[in-house]
Amino acid sequence: MLKPNKLANNKFLSSLDISRDEFLHILELAKSFKNKKINIDLDGKVLGLIFDKSSTRTRVSFQVAMSRLGCTTIDLNPTTSQIGRGEPIKDTARVLSRYCDVIAIRTFDHSDLEEYAKWSTKPVINALTDLEHPCQALADFLTINEEFCDFKDVVLTFIGDGNNVAHSLILCGALLGVEVRIACPKGYEPNSLVIEQAYKIYKNKNLLKITDDPNTAVIGSNVLYTDVWSSMGEENQKDEKEKVFNGFTINSDLVSKAHKDAIILHCLPAYRSKEITNEIFESDKSRIFDQAENRLHAQQALLSCLLQ
Ligand code: CP
Ligand code: NVA
């Protein structure tokens, strides 16, 4: 029976906090949890959840994952805890480390997450920042792996804003040697430091491409992936971004140019008729709800490693 291994960094702030081997180990564990081949009881350990932004999938999948591990969660709502009052992160982190065994945080600035991790004596997990969404990417690559056994044969094209979700896909793609193409409007390209990090890891530099032409990017792609055009915290840019992202909708025309067996992914929540048409969202190519389910299995695997 597969057993969870301790992770060398014992935190998950970035997709690059784990090695390629650790990534593959988490995917194998996730499959075992999903297929009920392993059952692990971690004896009442506690996960603290701090969400400065809304969440359905991340929050609930963490709660259910902990419950399945014989553990529990405390949902720390910033508006009813002293976090919303502005208690310094370094104080909150040191206090929560005395109560909790692991802490998952969703916030705006990645540097705030790093500040929590600096002061916490327990593992900290990135539940989404403006820079990365690494737990999402674990589930995404689990979903891709279920469909295509060998990552080296996969071309993953992300169409949308080059921010958190795209960044994590790029970094994981680099770790796993998956060809990643990002199609985004000019001015919405991924963070140059993330691209630089990825190029340092990719053995074949041609496997990462950034373009503003979705029609060319999708040619031969096995996976088409999109995300909302306006992320949480960007609500005031919604009208402007809808104009800029015109032409970046995953629709039947774009899908017809991809590989004939291509699958469609979306991290959710989705705005139909904006980044994806209802027809494609609901089509038999969509693996969107398998992907959402896989958040649970991937995070159960991650937690089981971090709580060793
Ligand atoms: N995909 C994702 O992180 O969903 P939530 O915002 O609902 O957690
Ligand atoms: N890019 C989106 C992802 C939501 C899961 C956001 O940050 O709002």
Coordinates of all heavy atoms in Angstrom, one line a residue, residues 12-82:
F12 N 3.6 24.5 1.2 CA 3.2 24.5 -0.3 C 2.7 25.9 -0.6 O 1.5 26.1 -0.7 CB 2.1 23.4 -0.5 CG 1.9 23.1 -1.9 CD1 2.9 22.8 -2.8 CD2 0.6 23.1 -2.4 CE1 2.7 22.5 -4.1 CE2 0.3 22.8 -3.7 CZ 1.4 22.5 -4.6
L13 N 3.6 26.8 -0.7 CA 3.3 28.2 -1.1 C 3.2 28.4 -2.6 O 2.5 29.2 -3.1 CB 4.3 29.2 -0.5 CG 4.6 29.1 1.0 CD1 5.5 30.2 1.5 CD2 3.3 29.0 1.8
S14 N 4.1 27.6 -3.2 CA 4.3 27.7 -4.7 C 4.4 26.3 -5.2 O 4.8 25.3 -4.5 CB 5.6 28.4 -4.9 OG 6.0 28.2 -6.3
S15 N 4.0 26.1 -6.5 CA 4.1 24.8 -7.2 C 5.6 24.4 -7.1 O 5.9 23.2 -7.2 CB 3.7 24.9 -8.6 OG 2.4 25.4 -8.7
L16 N 6.5 25.3 -7.0 CA 7.9 24.9 -7.0 C 8.4 24.6 -5.6 O 9.6 24.3 -5.4 CB 8.8 26.0 -7.6 CG 8.5 26.3 -9.1 CD1 9.6 27.3 -9.6 CD2 8.5 25.1 -9.9
D17 N 7.5 24.5 -4.6 CA 8.0 24.1 -3.3 C 8.1 22.5 -3.2 O 8.6 22.0 -2.3 CB 7.0 24.5 -2.2 CG 7.3 26.0 -1.8 OD1 8.4 26.4 -1.9 OD2 6.3 26.7 -1.4
I18 N 7.6 21.9 -4.3 CA 7.8 20.4 -4.4 C 8.6 20.1 -5.6 O 8.6 20.8 -6.6 CB 6.4 19.7 -4.4 CG1 5.5 20.2 -5.5 CG2 5.7 19.8 -3.0 CD1 4.2 19.4 -5.6
S19 N 9.3 18.9 -5.5 CA 10.1 18.5 -6.6 C 9.2 17.7 -7.6 O 8.0 17.4 -7.3 CB 11.2 17.5 -6.1 OG 10.5 16.3 -5.6
R20 N 9.7 17.4 -8.7 CA 9.0 16.6 -9.7 C 8.5 15.2 -9.1 O 7.4 14.8 -9.2 CB 9.9 16.3 -10.9 CG 9.2 15.5 -12.0 CD 10.2 15.4 -13.2 NE 9.5 14.9 -14.3 CZ 9.1 13.6 -14.6 NH1 9.5 12.7 -13.7 NH2 8.5 13.3 -15.7
D21 N 9.5 14.6 -8.4 CA 9.1 13.3 -7.8 C 8.0 13.4 -6.7 O 7.2 12.6 -6.6 CB 10.4 12.6 -7.1 CG 11.3 12.1 -8.2 OD1 10.9 12.0 -9.3 OD2 12.5 11.8 -7.8
E22 N 8.1 14.5 -5.9 CA 7.1 14.7 -4.9 C 5.7 15.0 -5.6 O 4.7 14.5 -5.1 CB 7.5 15.9 -4.0 CG 8.6 15.5 -3.0 CD 9.1 16.7 -2.2 OE1 9.0 17.9 -2.7 OE2 9.6 16.5 -1.1
F23 N 5.8 15.7 -6.7 CA 4.5 16.0 -7.4 C 3.9 14.7 -7.9 O 2.7 14.4 -7.7 CB 4.9 16.9 -8.7 CG 3.7 17.6 -9.3 CD1 3.7 19.0 -9.3 CD2 2.6 16.9 -9.8 CE1 2.6 19.6 -9.9 CE2 1.5 17.5 -10.3 CZ 1.5 18.9 -10.4
L24 N 4.7 13.8 -8.5 CA 4.2 12.5 -9.0 C 3.7 11.7 -7.8 O 2.7 10.9 -8.0 CB 5.3 11.8 -9.8 CG 5.7 12.6 -11.1 CD1 6.9 11.9 -11.8 CD2 4.5 12.7 -12.1
H25 N 4.4 11.7 -6.7 CA 4.0 11.0 -5.5 C 2.6 11.4 -5.1 O 1.7 10.6 -4.8 CB 5.0 11.2 -4.4 CG 4.7 10.6 -3.1 ND1 4.5 9.2 -2.9 CD2 4.4 11.2 -1.9 CE1 4.1 9.0 -1.6 NE2 4.1 10.1 -1.0
I26 N 2.4 12.8 -5.0 CA 1.1 13.3 -4.6 C 0.0 12.9 -5.6 O -1.1 12.5 -5.2 CB 1.2 14.9 -4.5 CG1 2.0 15.2 -3.3 CG2 -0.2 15.5 -4.3 CD1 2.4 16.7 -3.2
L27 N 0.3 12.8 -6.9 CA -0.7 12.4 -7.8 C -1.0 10.9 -7.6 O -2.2 10.5 -7.7 CB -0.2 12.6 -9.3 CG 0.0 14.1 -9.8 CD1 0.2 14.1 -11.3 CD2 -1.2 15.0 -9.4
E28 N 0.0 10.1 -7.4 CA -0.3 8.7 -7.1 C -1.1 8.5 -5.9 O -2.1 7.7 -5.8 CB 1.0 7.9 -7.0 CG 1.7 7.6 -8.4 CD 0.7 7.2 -9.5 OE1 0.0 6.2 -9.3 OE2 0.7 7.9 -10.5
L29 N -0.8 9.2 -4.8 CA -1.5 9.1 -3.6 C -3.0 9.6 -3.8 O -3.9 8.9 -3.3 CB -1.0 10.1 -2.5 CG 0.1 9.6 -1.6 CD1 0.6 10.8 -0.7 CD2 -0.4 8.5 -0.7
A30 N -3.1 10.7 -4.6 CA -4.5 11.2 -4.8 C -5.3 10.1 -5.5 O -6.5 9.9 -5.2 CB -4.4 12.5 -5.7
K31 N -4.7 9.4 -6.5 CA -5.5 8.4 -7.2 C -5.8 7.3 -6.2 O -7.0 6.7 -6.3 CB -4.6 7.8 -8.3 CG -4.5 8.7 -9.5 CD -3.7 8.0 -10.6 CE -2.8 9.0 -11.3 NZ -1.8 8.3 -12.2
S32 N -4.9 6.9 -5.3 CA -5.2 5.9 -4.3 C -6.4 6.3 -3.4 O -7.3 5.5 -3.1 CB -4.0 5.6 -3.5 OG -3.0 5.0 -4.3
F33 N -6.4 7.6 -3.0 CA -7.5 8.1 -2.1 C -8.8 8.0 -2.9 O -9.8 7.6 -2.4 CB -7.2 9.5 -1.7 CG -6.3 9.6 -0.5 CD1 -5.1 10.3 -0.6 CD2 -6.6 9.0 0.7 CE1 -4.2 10.4 0.5 CE2 -5.7 9.1 1.8 CZ -4.6 9.8 1.7
K34 N -8.7 8.4 -4.2 CA -9.9 8.5 -5.0 C -10.5 7.1 -5.3 O -11.7 6.9 -5.2 CB -9.5 9.1 -6.4 CG -10.7 9.4 -7.3 CD -10.3 10.2 -8.5 CE -11.5 10.6 -9.3 NZ -11.2 11.5 -10.4
N35 N -9.6 6.1 -5.5 CA -10.0 4.7 -5.7 C -10.2 3.9 -4.5 O -10.4 2.7 -4.5 CB -9.0 4.0 -6.6 CG -8.9 4.7 -8.0 OD1 -9.9 5.3 -8.4 ND2 -7.8 4.8 -8.6
K36 N -10.1 4.6 -3.3 CA -10.3 4.0 -2.0 C -9.4 2.8 -1.8 O -9.7 1.8 -1.2 CB -11.8 3.5 -1.8 CG -12.8 4.7 -2.0 CD -14.0 4.4 -1.3 CE -15.1 5.5 -1.3 NZ -14.7 6.9 -1.7
K37 N -8.1 3.0 -2.3 CA -7.1 1.9 -2.1 C -6.3 2.2 -0.8 O -5.6 1.3 -0.3 CB -6.2 1.9 -3.3 CG -6.8 1.3 -4.5 CD -5.8 0.8 -5.5 CE -6.5 0.2 -6.7 NZ -6.0 0.8 -8.0
I38 N -6.4 3.4 -0.3 CA -5.8 3.7 1.0 C -6.7 4.4 1.9 O -7.6 5.1 1.5 CB -4.5 4.5 1.0 CG1 -4.6 5.7 0.0 CG2 -3.3 3.6 0.6 CD1 -3.4 6.6 0.1
N39 N -6.5 4.2 3.2 CA -7.3 4.8 4.2 C -6.4 5.3 5.3 O -5.7 4.4 5.9 CB -8.4 3.9 4.7 CG -9.4 4.5 5.6 OD1 -9.5 5.7 5.7 ND2 -10.1 3.7 6.4
I40 N -6.3 6.5 5.6 CA -5.3 7.0 6.6 C -6.0 7.8 7.7 O -6.8 8.7 7.4 CB -4.2 7.9 5.9 CG1 -3.3 7.0 5.0 CG2 -3.3 8.6 6.9 CD1 -2.4 7.7 4.1
D41 N -5.7 7.5 8.9 CA -6.3 8.2 10.0 C -5.2 9.0 10.7 O -4.2 8.4 11.3 CB -6.9 7.2 11.0 CG -7.8 8.0 12.0 OD1 -7.5 9.1 12.3 OD2 -8.7 7.4 12.6
L42 N -5.3 10.3 10.7 CA -4.2 11.2 11.3 C -4.6 11.7 12.6 O -4.1 12.7 13.1 CB -3.9 12.3 10.3 CG -3.2 11.8 9.0 CD1 -2.9 12.9 8.0 CD2 -1.9 11.1 9.3
D43 N -5.6 11.1 13.2 CA -5.8 11.2 14.7 C -6.1 12.7 15.1 O -5.4 13.2 16.0 CB -4.6 10.7 15.4 CG -4.9 10.4 16.8 OD1 -6.1 10.2 17.2 OD2 -3.9 10.3 17.7
G44 N -7.1 13.3 14.5 CA -7.6 14.5 15.0 C -6.8 15.8 14.8 O -6.9 16.7 15.5
K45 N -5.9 15.7 13.8 CA -5.1 16.9 13.5 C -6.0 18.1 13.0 O -7.1 17.8 12.6 CB -4.0 16.6 12.5 CG -2.9 15.6 13.1 CD -1.5 16.0 12.7 CE -0.5 15.4 13.5 NZ -0.4 13.9 13.4
V46 N -5.5 19.3 13.1 CA -6.4 20.4 12.9 C -5.8 21.3 11.8 O -4.6 21.7 11.8 CB -6.6 21.3 14.1 CG1 -7.4 22.5 13.8 CG2 -7.2 20.5 15.2
L47 N -6.6 21.6 10.8 CA -6.2 22.6 9.7 C -7.0 23.9 10.0 O -8.2 23.9 10.1 CB -6.7 22.0 8.3 CG -6.7 23.0 7.2 CD1 -5.3 23.4 6.7 CD2 -7.4 22.4 5.9
G48 N -6.2 25.0 10.0 CA -6.8 26.3 10.1 C -7.0 26.9 8.7 O -6.0 26.8 7.9
L49 N -8.2 27.4 8.4 CA -8.4 28.0 7.1 C -8.6 29.5 7.2 O -9.5 29.9 8.0 CB -9.7 27.4 6.5 CG -9.7 25.9 6.2 CD1 -11.2 25.5 5.9 CD2 -8.9 25.6 5.0
I50 N -7.8 30.3 6.5 CA -7.9 31.7 6.5 C -8.2 32.1 5.1 O -7.4 32.0 4.2 CB -6.6 32.4 7.0 CG1 -6.2 31.9 8.4 CG2 -6.8 33.9 6.9 CD1 -4.9 32.5 8.9
F51 N -9.4 32.7 4.9 CA -9.8 33.1 3.5 C -10.1 34.6 3.5 O -11.2 35.0 4.0 CB -11.0 32.3 3.1 CG -10.7 30.9 2.6 CD1 -10.4 29.9 3.5 CD2 -10.6 30.6 1.3 CE1 -10.0 28.6 3.1 CE2 -10.2 29.3 0.8 CZ -9.9 28.3 1.7
D52 N -9.2 35.3 2.9 CA -9.5 36.8 2.7 C -10.3 37.0 1.5 O -10.6 38.2 1.2 CB -8.2 37.5 2.6 CG -7.4 37.7 3.9 OD1 -8.1 37.7 5.0 OD2 -6.2 37.7 3.9
K53 N -10.5 36.0 0.7 CA -11.4 36.1 -0.5 C -12.4 34.9 -0.5 O -12.2 34.0 0.2 CB -10.5 35.9 -1.8 CG -9.4 36.9 -2.0 CD -8.7 36.5 -3.3 CE -7.6 37.6 -3.6 NZ -6.8 37.2 -4.8
S54 N -13.5 35.0 -1.3 CA -14.5 34.0 -1.3 C -13.9 32.7 -1.8 O -12.9 32.6 -2.5 CB -15.6 34.4 -2.2 OG -16.1 35.7 -1.9
S55 N -14.6 31.6 -1.5 CA -14.2 30.3 -2.0 C -15.4 29.3 -1.7 O -16.0 29.3 -0.7 CB -13.0 29.8 -1.3 OG -12.8 28.4 -1.6
T56 N -15.6 28.4 -2.7 CA -16.5 27.3 -2.5 C -15.6 26.0 -2.6 O -15.5 25.3 -1.6 CB -17.6 27.2 -3.6 OG1 -18.4 28.4 -3.6 CG2 -18.5 26.0 -3.5
R57 N -15.0 25.8 -3.7 CA -14.3 24.5 -3.9 C -13.1 24.3 -2.9 O -13.0 23.3 -2.3 CB -13.7 24.4 -5.4 CG -14.7 24.0 -6.4 CD -14.5 24.8 -7.7 NE -14.9 26.1 -7.5 CZ -16.2 26.6 -7.7 NH1 -17.1 25.8 -8.2 NH2 -16.5 27.9 -7.5
T58 N -12.3 25.4 -2.8 CA -11.1 25.2 -2.0 C -11.4 25.0 -0.6 O -10.9 24.1 0.1 CB -10.2 26.4 -2.2 OG1 -10.0 26.7 -3.6 CG2 -8.8 26.3 -1.5
R59 N -12.4 25.8 -0.1 CA -12.8 25.7 1.3 C -13.4 24.3 1.6 O -12.9 23.6 2.5 CB -13.8 26.8 1.6 CG -14.2 26.8 3.1 CD -15.5 27.6 3.2 NE -15.4 29.0 2.7 CZ -14.9 30.0 3.3 NH1 -14.4 29.9 4.5 NH2 -14.9 31.2 2.7
V60 N -14.4 23.9 0.8 CA -15.1 22.7 1.1 C -14.2 21.4 0.9 O -14.2 20.5 1.6 CB -16.4 22.6 0.3 CG1 -17.1 21.3 0.5 CG2 -17.3 23.8 0.6
S61 N -13.4 21.5 -0.2 CA -12.5 20.3 -0.5 C -11.5 20.1 0.6 O -11.2 19.0 1.0 CB -11.9 20.4 -1.9 OG -11.2 21.6 -2.0
F62 N -11.0 21.2 1.2 CA -10.1 21.1 2.3 C -10.8 20.5 3.5 O -10.3 19.6 4.3 CB -9.4 22.4 2.7 CG -8.1 22.7 2.0 CD1 -7.9 23.8 1.2 CD2 -7.1 21.8 2.2 CE1 -6.7 24.1 0.6 CE2 -5.8 22.1 1.6 CZ -5.7 23.2 0.8
Q63 N -12.0 21.0 3.8 CA -12.8 20.5 4.9 C -13.1 19.0 4.8 O -12.9 18.2 5.8 CB -14.1 21.3 5.1 CG -13.8 22.7 5.6 CD -15.0 23.6 5.6 OE1 -15.9 23.4 4.8 NE2 -15.0 24.6 6.5
V64 N -13.5 18.6 3.6 CA -13.9 17.2 3.4 C -12.6 16.3 3.5 O -12.6 15.2 4.0 CB -14.7 17.0 2.1 CG1 -14.9 15.5 1.9 CG2 -16.0 17.8 2.2
A65 N -11.5 16.8 2.9 CA -10.2 16.1 2.9 C -9.8 15.8 4.3 O -9.4 14.7 4.7 CB -9.2 16.8 2.1
M66 N -9.9 16.8 5.1 CA -9.4 16.7 6.6 C -10.4 15.7 7.3 O -9.9 14.8 8.0 CB -9.4 18.0 7.3 CG -8.2 18.9 7.0 SD -6.7 18.1 7.4 CE -6.5 18.6 9.1
S67 N -11.6 15.8 7.0 CA -12.6 14.9 7.6 C -12.3 13.4 7.2 O -12.3 12.5 8.1 CB -14.0 15.3 7.2 OG -14.9 14.3 7.4
R68 N -12.0 13.2 6.0 CA -11.6 11.8 5.5 C -10.3 11.3 6.1 O -10.1 10.1 6.1 CB -11.6 11.8 4.0 CG -12.9 12.0 3.4 CD -12.9 11.7 1.9 NE -14.3 11.9 1.3 CZ -14.6 11.6 0.1 NH1 -13.7 11.2 -0.8 NH2 -15.8 11.8 -0.3
L69 N -9.5 12.2 6.6 CA -8.2 11.8 7.2 C -8.4 11.7 8.7 O -7.4 11.6 9.4 CB -7.1 12.9 6.9 CG -6.6 12.9 5.4 CD1 -5.7 14.1 5.2 CD2 -5.8 11.6 5.1
G70 N -9.6 11.7 9.2 CA -9.9 11.6 10.6 C -9.5 12.9 11.4 O -9.1 12.9 12.5
C71 N -9.5 14.0 10.7 CA -9.0 15.3 11.2 C -10.1 16.3 11.2 O -11.3 16.0 10.8 CB -7.8 15.8 10.4 SG -6.4 14.7 10.4
T72 N -9.8 17.5 11.5 CA -10.8 18.5 11.6 C -10.3 19.9 11.1 O -9.1 20.0 10.9 CB -11.4 18.6 13.1 OG1 -12.4 19.5 13.1 CG2 -10.3 19.1 14.0
T73 N -11.2 20.9 10.9 CA -10.8 22.2 10.4 C -11.4 23.3 11.2 O -12.4 23.1 11.8 CB -11.2 22.4 8.9 OG1 -12.6 22.2 8.8 CG2 -10.4 21.6 7.9
I74 N -10.7 24.4 11.3 CA -11.3 25.6 11.9 C -11.3 26.7 10.8 O -10.3 27.0 10.2 CB -10.5 26.1 13.1 CG1 -10.4 25.0 14.1 CG2 -11.1 27.4 13.6 CD1 -9.6 25.4 15.3
D75 N -12.5 27.2 10.5 CA -12.6 28.2 9.4 C -12.5 29.6 10.1 O -13.4 30.0 10.8 CB -14.0 28.0 8.8 CG -14.0 28.7 7.4 OD1 -13.2 29.6 7.2 OD2 -15.0 28.4 6.6
L76 N -11.4 30.2 9.9 CA -11.1 31.5 10.5 C -11.6 32.6 9.6 O -10.9 33.0 8.7 CB -9.7 31.6 10.8 CG -9.2 30.7 11.9 CD1 -7.8 30.2 11.6 CD2 -9.3 31.4 13.3
N77 N -12.8 33.1 9.9 CA -13.4 34.2 9.0 C -12.7 35.5 9.4 O -12.8 35.9 10.6 CB -14.9 34.2 9.3 CG -15.6 35.3 8.5 OD1 -14.9 36.2 8.0 ND2 -16.9 35.2 8.4
P78 N -11.9 36.1 8.5 CA -11.2 37.3 8.9 C -12.1 38.4 9.5 O -11.7 39.2 10.3 CB -10.6 37.8 7.6 CG -10.5 36.6 6.8 CD -11.7 35.7 7.1
T79 N -13.4 38.4 9.1 CA -14.3 39.5 9.6 C -14.7 39.3 11.0 O -15.1 40.2 11.7 CB -15.5 39.7 8.7 OG1 -16.2 38.5 8.7 CG2 -15.1 40.2 7.3
T80 N -14.7 38.0 11.5 CA -15.1 37.8 12.9 C -13.9 37.4 13.8 O -14.1 37.2 15.0 CB -16.2 36.7 13.0 OG1 -15.7 35.5 12.2 CG2 -17.5 37.1 12.4
S81 N -12.7 37.3 13.2 CA -11.5 37.1 14.0 C -10.8 38.4 14.1 O -11.1 39.4 13.4 CB -10.7 36.0 13.4 OG -10.1 36.4 12.2
Q82 N -9.7 38.4 14.8 CA -8.9 39.7 14.9 C -8.1 39.9 13.6 O -7.4 41.0 13.5 CB -8.0 39.6 16.1 CG -8.7 39.3 17.4 CD -9.5 40.5 17.9 OE1 -9.7 41.5 17.2 NE2 -9.9 40.5 19.2

